[in-house]
Amino acid sequence: MAGATTTKTIRRAPADKFDERRNQLAESALRTLGELGYARTSLREIANNSEFSHGVVHYYFSDKTELIVYCVRYYKAQCVRRYDGVVADSTTPAELLDAFAAKLVETLQDEAPMHRLWYDLRTQSMFEETLREAVLMIDQTLEDMIWRVVSRYAELSGAEVAMTPAAAYGVLDGLFQQALLTYLLADPQAALDELVGQVHALMPLTLSPHT
Amino acid sequence: MAGATTTKTIRRAPADKFDERRNQLAESALRTLGELGYARTSLREIANNSEFSHGVVHYYFSDKTELIVYCVRYYKAQCVRRYDGVVADSTTPAELLDAFAAKLVETLQDEAPMHRLWYDLRTQSMFEETLREAVLMIDQTLEDMIWRVVSRYAELSGAEVAMTPAAAYGVLDGLFQQALLTYLLADPQAALDELVGQVHALMPLTLSPHT
DNA sequence: GCTCGGTCTTGACAGTTGTCAAGACTTTCC
DNA sequence: GGAAAGTCTTGACAACTGTCAAGACCGAGC
């Protein structure tokens, strides 16, 4: 709609246009899913949250499931590098710890709907076979993401990590999920404060007693 | 139908009969919910898993929501004392640790559907206001349950707990949830083994360095 | 200008859902 | 035995869902 098209529309491979629409629909879908949750999200509602009508979904996706899975992967691409800056910029353990906790708080605050959607989808995968593959893939990606933070923290501390990647991810994810629940259901401010304190207390415990 | 009723049916306050049916329906509902998950469970399916027809639900519950919430509370009553024996019978830290880990494995194996249902309902409460109160109440109950284990573990170790009840619950719940996911989606045996190892590694970290 | 391929809307379909009313069946009590 | 209260079944309803087909719209190329 902006003036980028002068004489003709910009040369664009058909596949690009197609994929762009798919991404556009994925974004509408993610917005709706984050608001309503997996169970209560219908294709019509997704279309309502976009500029298209409900029939268009079947033009770009063969299936509701295909749309959802596409959304999940699309979402992953957005969040997987979330803590890379924290890892790259910190030069001391304390600095990394503060930056990591701050980033956790930030994403909890700014993207609470997306996080609850992720937990929703992960839980649904325990009932629905179709989600299994995508969920396992994302979960692994998140574990790797956490592992980069924890192992960098150990490196800056001059210590070894005393946990497996899975364990480190498990405990941190547990704390984050609890904070999200408190944030959404009870006391947002308390949730953020507690999360900061818990992460600061936990991270040193992931290290071996220094030699 | 058994011979308990001799001349008349046993004297039974009407409220008792009413509550008994409600519990009967709650059990059918929990079986169905554990199998299908919250979203895919319909009142007709619940009735199919009982000896009644679908209309009876509305005789005992005003609402689908009321049935679900009743189920949640009914479920809680079953599981809240799960680790009391572990706490009562153990006399050394190592013994408690082994017994606790064994009990976690046992309940993960025997009641996987109920556990995934709990995580499902807890996640749904982030979208649905109606579940909020019941979920927060159960979550608190579980936190207390874990706290009894952890503080007894500290007592037997002659040390102080270095975490808040919320933090201890958060990390252990994170590990358990991860184990459940692995158990259901990937490798059941590996999930159980990893859980045992992780709990053994984590529990000592909940204690203050002994004085 | 006019066709043509791609894009999108509209309307309909069959199935499922929560809800509820009407009545049949059962138990209780006189 | 028969009335009354309690219990349960049946069938229907409106709303909603995923799916899809028929055709309208639109820009590009001859």
Side-chain angles (χ1 to χ4, degrees):
Chain A
M1 51 181 66
T5 68
T6 50
T7 59
K8 302 178 143 199
T9 55
I10 291 178
R11 213 70 211 104
R12 177 181 286 161
D16 271 0
K17 168 89 178 291
F18 195 77
D19 278 359
E20 192 183 313
R21 276 280 183 280
R22 281 167 72 99
N23 291 345
Q24 220 172 328
L25 283 173
E27 272 170 38
S28 299
L30 282 173
R31 236 177 300 130
T32 312
L33 286 162
E35 208 55 49
L36 303 179
Y38 178 67
R40 287 161 292 280
T41 296
S42 69
L43 297 180
R44 280 170 174 81
E45 196 62 36
I46 292 173
N48 280 353
N49 278 4
S50 77
E51 48 180 342
F52 304 106
S53 66
H54 73 272
V56 87
V57 177
H58 262 273
Y59 185 74
Y60 289 102
F61 297 94
S62 68
D63 219 63
K64 186 187 183 181
T65 300
E66 197 200 319
L67 169 60
I68 300 285
V69 170
Y70 187 88
C71 284
V72 172
R73 296 182 191 281
Y74 184 84
Y75 160 74
K76 190 217 77 178
Q78 296 178 337
C79 71
V80 65
R81 296 274 150 198
R82 186 173 281 147
Y83 303 104
D84 283 8
V86 170
V87 169
D89 299 344
S90 300
T91 56
T92 68
E95 190 185 341
L96 185 142
L97 199 41
D98 289 342
F100 179 48
K103 201 75 181 171
L104 283 168
V105 163
E106 182 193 318
T107 189
L108 177 54
Q109 245 178 327
D110 296 350
E111 305 184 76
M114 279 301 122
H115 288 295
R116 68 178 171 183
L117 171 59
W118 159 245
Y119 288 120
D120 191 7
L121 291 171
R122 192 172 71 173
T123 305
Q124 295 316 306
S125 78
M126 294 198 277
F127 297 95
E128 268 196 47
E129 168 69 26
T130 50
L131 295 173
R132 191 176 122 166
E133 190 195 335
V135 161
L136 281 176
M137 175 191 158
I138 295 199
D139 212 48
Q140 183 61 53
T141 303
L142 295 174
E143 184 182 309
D144 296 344
M145 187 174 77
I146 291 300
W147 184 244
R148 286 196 296 274
V149 175
V150 171
S151 55
R152 175 63 176 159
Y153 176 67
E155 192 184 347
L156 289 175
S157 303
E160 299 289 318
V161 186
M163 290 185 178
T164 63
Y169 173 52
V171 295
L172 278 169
D173 189 61
L175 291 180
F176 188 79
Q177 195 173 349
Q178 184 180 67
L180 181 63
L181 198 73
T182 304
Y183 183 82
L184 292 170
L185 267 59
D187 187 339
Q189 191 55 52
L192 300 177
D193 294 343
E194 251 197 79
L195 180 59
V196 170
Q198 286 173 344
V199 169
H200 273 85
L202 180 71
M203 287 287 281
L205 301 180
T206 64
L207 304 181
S208 293
H210 71 279
T211 52
Chain B
M1 54 182 66
T5 68
T6 50
T7 58
K8 304 179 137 197
T9 55
I10 292 178
R11 213 73 215 98
R12 176 183 284 160
D16 272 1
K17 169 88 179 292
F18 195 79
D19 278 359
E20 193 183 310
R21 275 278 183 282
R22 280 167 72 99
N23 290 345
Q24 219 172 327
L25 282 173
E27 272 170 38
S28 299
L30 282 172
R31 236 177 300 131
T32 313
L33 285 162
E35 207 55 48
L36 303 178
Y38 178 67
R40 286 160 294 280
T41 296
S42 68
L43 297 180
R44 281 169 175 80
E45 196 61 38
I46 292 173
N48 280 353
N49 279 5
S50 76
E51 48 180 343
F52 304 106
S53 67
H54 73 272
V56 86
V57 176
H58 261 272
Y59 184 73
Y60 289 103
F61 298 94
S62 69
D63 218 61
K64 186 186 184 182
T65 300
E66 198 201 317
L67 168 61
I68 300 285
V69 170
Y70 187 87
C71 284
V72 173
R73 296 183 191 281
Y74 184 83
Y75 160 75
K76 188 217 76 178
Q78 296 178 338
C79 71
V80 65
R81 295 275 150 197
R82 185 173 281 146
Y83 303 104
D84 283 7
V86 171
V87 168
D89 299 344
S90 301
T91 56
T92 69
E95 190 186 343
L96 184 143
L97 200 40
D98 289 342
F100 179 48
K103 200 74 182 172
L104 282 169
V105 164
E106 181 194 319
T107 189
L108 178 54
Q109 244 178 327
D110 297 349
E111 305 184 76
M114 279 301 122
H115 288 295
R116 70 178 170 183
L117 171 59
W118 159 243
Y119 289 120
D120 191 6
L121 291 171
R122 192 171 71 172
T123 306
Q124 296 316 306
S125 78
M126 293 197 278
F127 298 95
E128 269 197 45
E129 169 68 27
T130 50
L131 294 173
R132 191 175 119 166
E133 192 195 333
V135 162
L136 281 177
M137 176 190 155
I138 296 200
D139 212 49
Q140 184 61 53
T141 304
L142 294 173
E143 185 182 308
D144 295 344
M145 186 173 78
I146 292 300
W147 185 244
R148 287 196 296 274
V149 175
V150 171
S151 56
R152 175 64 176 159
Y153 176 68
E155 191 184 349
L156 290 174
S157 303
E160 298 288 318
V161 186
M163 290 184 178
T164 63
Y169 173 52
V171 295
L172 279 168
D173 189 60
L175 291 180
F176 188 80
Q177 195 174 351
Q178 184 179 66
L180 180 63
L181 198 72
T182 303
Y183 183 83
L184 291 171
L185 267 59
D187 187 338
Q189 190 55 52
L192 300 178
D193 294 343
E194 251 198 81
L195 180 58
V196 171
Q198 286 173 343
V199 169
H200 274 85
L202 180 71
M203 287 289 281
L205 301 181
T206 63
L207 305 180
S208 292
H210 72 278
T211 52

